[in-house]
Amino acid sequence: AALLRRGGLVGGRWVEAAAFFPVQDPASGEELGRVTDCGVAEAQAAVRAAHEAGATWGRLPPKERSVLLRRWFELMVENKEELARIITAESGKPLKEAQGEILYSASFLEWFAEEARRVYGDVIPASAKDRRILVLKQPVGVAAIITPWNFPSAMITRKVGAALAAGCTVVVKPAEDTPLSALALGELANQAGIPAGVYNVVPCSRQQTPAVGEVLCTDPLVAKISFTGSTATGKVLLKHAAGTVKRVSLELGGHAPFIVFDSADVDRAVAGALASKYRNSGQTCVCTNRFLVQRGIHDRFVEKFAKAIERELHIGSGFDAKTTQGPLINEKAVEKVERHINDAVSQGASIVTGGKRHSLGKNFFEPTLLSNVTTKMLCTQEETFGPLAPVIKFETEAEAIAIANAANVGLAGYFYSKDPAQIWRVAEQLEVGMVGVNEGIISSVESPFGGVKQSGLGREGSKYGIDEYLEIKYVCFGGL
């Protein structure tokens, strides 16, 4: 309760708009509370507050920014249990996963607290003896941060940590389903001593989202947009940002392939498949969406995978210690899973296990495994974003790579093989931004996160993440 806030955070103050919108528990459908429904006026005020604060924040010695980010990190760790419970309440994520997210989320503040002191420029040898060429790196300015519901804490700190370390200030627009985590982070930012206006939050309803998003993408005081979400929404924001030629980072939809070759360790591949597919009930952008299994081990893999699903996955409330599969975020998400299954079955796919809604409630769906799947089925052409694992049988390595690369997106890809030559070939040929080789979970603070094709622009996390918030300035020092 100490971290629950219902107002927006603008210029270091908690503010309320004229209306409020409900935040619901996706497991029970019950209302958790009401949050202020920020609109155009609040968004503009937040941008102005961030712009005014930027003049001071950007000129602070990096060590001072580092100390404040480090304190924010420490407060997150101290409050990890309450933060995790907020995530589970508003997103339905199992509590164990929510606890993992908080530690992962906090790690970005720790990482970028350290990177703040490592923004190095250059001195370049000049062609003229009376000149010196200097390269400076400076903050781009105000960054608008637009985040999704499936990682309501980590998707904020991965962006905000880098922005603040670089000397930028931010306006965060959290997903309408999960604003409480963003506001809790704001409370801790205030406690950590982050100056007023450096971290602003404008929660809003689904109805207000288009108008608020347009303000953040078109206001001339905003220099940078960072968005995680669907490819369709990303394209809309990119068009808005083009009018003022803003810097843009996009982490968009995925359609991750998971290839299991004949040479793979089948038991290890099954364990990786279970982790990659069913984390957060399949609601992550790097979850596997298509399983491609070579003919020689296909039947054995499907049999073992089905047994693992039935043995290890447990549906329930996120607050139940046994739960590994919580609810989907809303009924619309459930309907998409049903539509994909119905389409596949109508074209000849077989349900190996699962396949229907669970009796616990309208947002719960059984972990599902399909075999006899073809590339003509909807579930292999669209990102399902739910607990559905379709398995395609393939013959050759070239065929698997062709199927994997046929998508117009490329975020993550996974494959299992014990052939060193094959590992090199496939890792280089997969058209994705991130590859897991004999691993189903690949995200870490040290690694550059991002995709190719229509999965986005730029990278987050790692030593590269801070570059997205820095401008390079060339200084020619003459007359020497």
Side-chain angles (χ1 to χ4, degrees):
L3 297 182
L4 287 176
R5 292 289 177 270
R6 72 171 195 162
L9 181 59
V10 177
R13 296 172 49 250
W14 296 104
V15 300
E16 294 184 357
F20 292 81
F21 66 97
V23 180
Q24 295 177 319
D25 175 357
S28 66
E30 295 178 1
E31 187 175 299
L32 298 170
R34 290 181 169 263
V35 171
T36 196
D37 194 2
C38 292
V40 168
E42 290 78 21
Q44 290 173 334
V47 169
R48 288 194 300 272
H51 178 70
E52 291 167 4
T56 302
W57 180 255
R59 292 190 179 94
L60 278 182
K63 184 176 181 180
E64 292 186 28
R65 294 199 297 269
S66 175
V67 168
L68 291 170
L69 283 169
R70 178 78 192 188
R71 180 56 184 150
W72 197 6
F73 155 75
E74 291 168 349
L75 285 172
M76 282 195 71
V77 174
E78 290 171 17
N79 291 274
K80 62 182 184 294
E81 294 302 325
E82 184 174 352
L83 291 169
R85 293 181 70 82
I86 291 173
I87 288 177
T88 295
E90 65 180 350
S91 77
K93 181 178 296 189
L95 188 58
K96 186 176 180 181
E97 285 191 27
Q99 291 165 339
E101 179 181 343
I102 289 302
L103 294 178
Y104 179 58
S105 175
S107 73
F108 286 106
L109 298 182
E110 179 186 39
W111 175 268
F112 285 113
E114 296 162 353
E115 289 297 293
R117 302 179 68 184
R118 299 185 179 93
V119 178
Y120 302 137
D122 286 300
V123 178
I124 299 174
S127 56
K129 64 182 180 180
D130 63 343
R131 294 182 181 180
R132 299 294 183 269
I133 296 174
L134 310 178
V135 175
L136 310 180
K137 293 184 179 180
Q138 297 179 319
V140 298
V142 176
I145 308 295
I146 304 173
T147 57
W149 57 263
N150 58 338
F151 286 90
S153 181
M155 294 303 95
I156 292 175
T157 58
R158 192 163 72 185
K159 301 171 187 293
V160 169
L164 268 57
C168 299
T169 54
V170 299
V171 178
V172 177
K173 205 295 283 183
E176 58 273 7
D177 294 300
T178 56
L180 300 177
S181 291
L183 297 172
L185 288 175
E187 171 61 26
L188 292 180
N190 285 350
Q191 292 180 23
I194 302 294
V198 172
Y199 178 84
N200 304 275
V201 187
V202 285
C204 63
S205 64
R206 188 169 276 103
Q207 291 73 27
Q208 289 277 32
T209 289
V212 169
E214 185 172 348
V215 167
L216 297 180
C217 290
T218 58
D219 193 308
L221 295 180
V222 175
K224 159 84 181 183
I225 304 293
S226 181
F227 168 74
T228 295
S230 71
T231 298
T233 302
K235 290 177 180 179
V236 172
L237 298 180
L238 192 58
K239 287 180 180 178
H240 282 316
T244 47
V245 196
K246 299 187 191 306
R247 289 274 294 274
V248 178
S249 297
L250 301 173
E251 192 258 285
L252 307 177
H255 193 36
F258 188 110
I259 307 171
V260 187
F261 291 103
D262 281 344
S263 68
D265 180 326
V266 174
D267 290 333
R268 185 168 182 174
V270 166
L274 201 70
S276 173
K277 174 68 256 184
Y278 294 109
R279 184 167 58 114
N280 198 20
S281 299
Q283 300 174 111
T284 89
C285 51
V286 292
C287 273
T288 297
N289 208 62
R290 303 168 288 160
F291 288 88
L292 286 65
V293 184
Q294 200 159 13
R295 177 177 292 277
I297 59 165
H298 174 274
D299 293 351
R300 188 153 49 103
F301 175 85
V302 170
E303 180 183 359
K304 285 176 175 284
F305 195 13
K307 288 180 179 177
I309 291 169
E310 293 165 358
R311 180 181 65 247
E312 298 185 31
L313 301 183
H314 305 282
I315 302 172
S317 163
F319 289 106
D320 187 331
K322 295 185 299 183
T323 295
T324 63
Q325 303 290 287
L328 273 67
I329 190 65
N330 52 41
E331 192 166 11
K332 185 178 178 182
V334 175
E335 290 170 354
K336 186 174 186 180
V337 177
E338 286 181 322
R339 186 168 68 253
H340 281 191
I341 292 172
N342 292 338
D343 171 79
V345 170
S346 72
Q347 296 187 60
S350 303
I351 297 175
V352 181
T353 187
K356 62 185 185 299
R357 297 192 189 210
H358 195 276
S359 59
L360 272 176
K362 65 180 183 179
N363 291 340
F364 289 89
F365 202 92
E366 295 177 344
T368 302
L369 176 62
L370 298 180
S371 64
N372 301 320
V373 173
T374 71
T375 57
K376 294 181 179 180
M377 297 172 184
L378 206 54
C379 60
T380 66
Q381 298 173 3
E382 296 179 353
E383 185 179 27
T384 303
F385 227 68
L388 171 61
V391 179
I392 303 168
K393 186 187 296 184
F394 73 89
E395 299 285 348
T396 67
E397 178 185 309
E399 180 189 0
I401 292 172
I403 293 171
N405 290 344
N408 62 6
V409 293
L411 190 58
Y414 311 87
F415 70 92
Y416 278 69
S417 171
K418 291 192 290 187
D419 179 343
Q422 183 176 61
I423 288 172
W424 277 111
R425 288 194 304 270
V426 177
E428 291 178 349
Q429 291 180 60
L430 282 179
E431 295 173 356
V432 296
M434 300 173 286
V435 180
V437 183
N438 298 323
E439 292 290 344
I441 301 292
I442 58 175
S443 299
S444 70
V445 67
E446 301 87 357
S447 309
F449 192 103
V452 299
K453 298 198 254 189
Q454 293 186 34
S455 279
L457 304 168
R459 292 297 182 267
E460 295 183 336
S462 79
K463 69 175 184 178
Y464 304 104
I466 200 168
D467 292 341
E468 302 290 338
Y469 298 89
L470 292 168
E471 294 282 16
I472 292 177
K473 178 183 285 185
Y474 154 50
V475 178
C476 180
F477 193 172
L480 302 177

